Amino acid sequence: MTPQDADRPGPAGASRRSKITPEREREFFDAVLDQIRECGYDAVTMEGVAASTRCSKSTLYRQWRTKPRFVAAALRSNRQTRFARIDTGTLAGDLREAARCAGEWSPQDTTLLQALGHAVIQDRELARALREALVDPEITALEEILRRGVERGEVAAGNPALEYVPAQLFGVLRARPILDGRNADPEYLVRFVEAAVLPALGLP
């Protein structure tokens, strides 16, 4: 059976969603996100993704109906919480590790954020999916890192800088490509944390 055969609709009344395997769905999602990174959101079409994955475009339309819904599903399927694995035993160590981690995945995620920039302003579902996939899980994990630091007595619970740590990290990830024409790599982000974030929290 060819990929095209597997994607064709079955008899009337059959479950349409069951005709696409998780592996095939992952292939569709990877294809659309890769094309957005390379070409920008507006240039990507359902027809183009269908051609690159060797399926009929009716398969994609039947499954997700519109491009924004398709992209939103792809984003949600890509949800990761990379900061959640960080626990060095100290707040300063956790924030340095978070900086290194963010620097490693920033090229892919920053490119995707930039490519989706205008589209997420226009489409609420797309904006919500982007936050659920790339932003909210990491902010929640950062807040947990900061909470542990407060519980260990490393920083006062009333320190006003605590509220702005996620904004600092995510802000520099977005800003450096604009200011310097380069992504924020691990070395740059660690230096930023040591120069701006740790002093604001009163950490060495």
Side-chain angles (χ1 to χ4, degrees):
M1 178 184 289
T2 67
Q4 294 95 323
D5 292 333
D7 295 329
R8 290 192 183 110
S15 171
R16 289 172 174 176
R17 183 165 292 276
S18 67
K19 294 299 178 183
I20 297 180
T21 66
E23 294 76 17
R24 188 68 167 139
E25 186 177 66
R26 180 75 265 159
E27 186 180 350
F28 293 149
F29 289 160
D30 288 345
V32 71
L33 295 180
D34 287 345
Q35 288 189 26
I36 289 171
R37 291 186 185 99
E38 292 173 9
C39 310
Y41 178 83
D42 290 339
V44 174
T45 64
M46 300 285 264
E47 290 80 357
V49 176
S52 70
T53 56
R54 295 183 298 164
C55 77
S56 66
K57 65 181 181 181
S58 63
T59 296
L60 303 182
Y61 280 112
R62 185 173 62 249
Q63 193 79 1
W64 293 287
R65 298 184 182 277
T66 67
K67 184 174 83 168
R69 287 186 181 182
F70 180 30
V71 174
L75 287 168
R76 289 190 172 101
S77 77
N78 203 43
R79 179 187 174 110
Q80 298 184 55
T81 312
R82 289 157 287 206
F83 291 161
R85 297 188 292 267
I86 296 172
D87 189 356
T88 67
T90 68
L91 180 53
D94 286 352
L95 292 173
R96 288 188 179 97
E97 185 59 27
R100 278 189 287 269
C101 180
E104 290 173 357
W105 49 257
S106 71
Q108 269 201 326
D109 285 1
T110 301
T111 300
L112 187 60
L113 285 167
Q114 291 171 335
L116 288 168
H118 185 61
V120 297
I121 294 173
Q122 295 180 312
D123 191 291
R124 289 185 179 180
E125 182 180 359
L126 206 56
R128 188 164 53 249
L130 183 64
R131 284 192 58 86
E132 290 173 2
L134 300 182
V135 180
D136 290 346
E138 305 302 354
I139 288 179
T140 298
L142 274 175
E143 290 173 345
E144 174 63 17
I145 285 171
L146 296 170
R147 185 191 63 77
R148 291 199 305 261
V150 170
E151 288 183 348
R152 287 192 295 255
E154 297 173 87
V155 61
N159 188 312
L162 285 168
E163 178 184 356
Y164 301 105
V165 172
Q168 285 180 295
L169 284 177
F170 279 93
V172 76
L173 284 168
R174 292 295 304 274
R176 198 188 189 201
I178 298 171
L179 298 176
D180 297 340
R182 291 184 291 171
N183 287 313
D185 58 25
E187 181 184 357
Y188 180 88
L189 280 169
V190 170
R191 286 191 286 110
F192 171 78
V193 163
E194 292 178 340
V197 180
L198 298 187
L201 295 172
L203 297 171

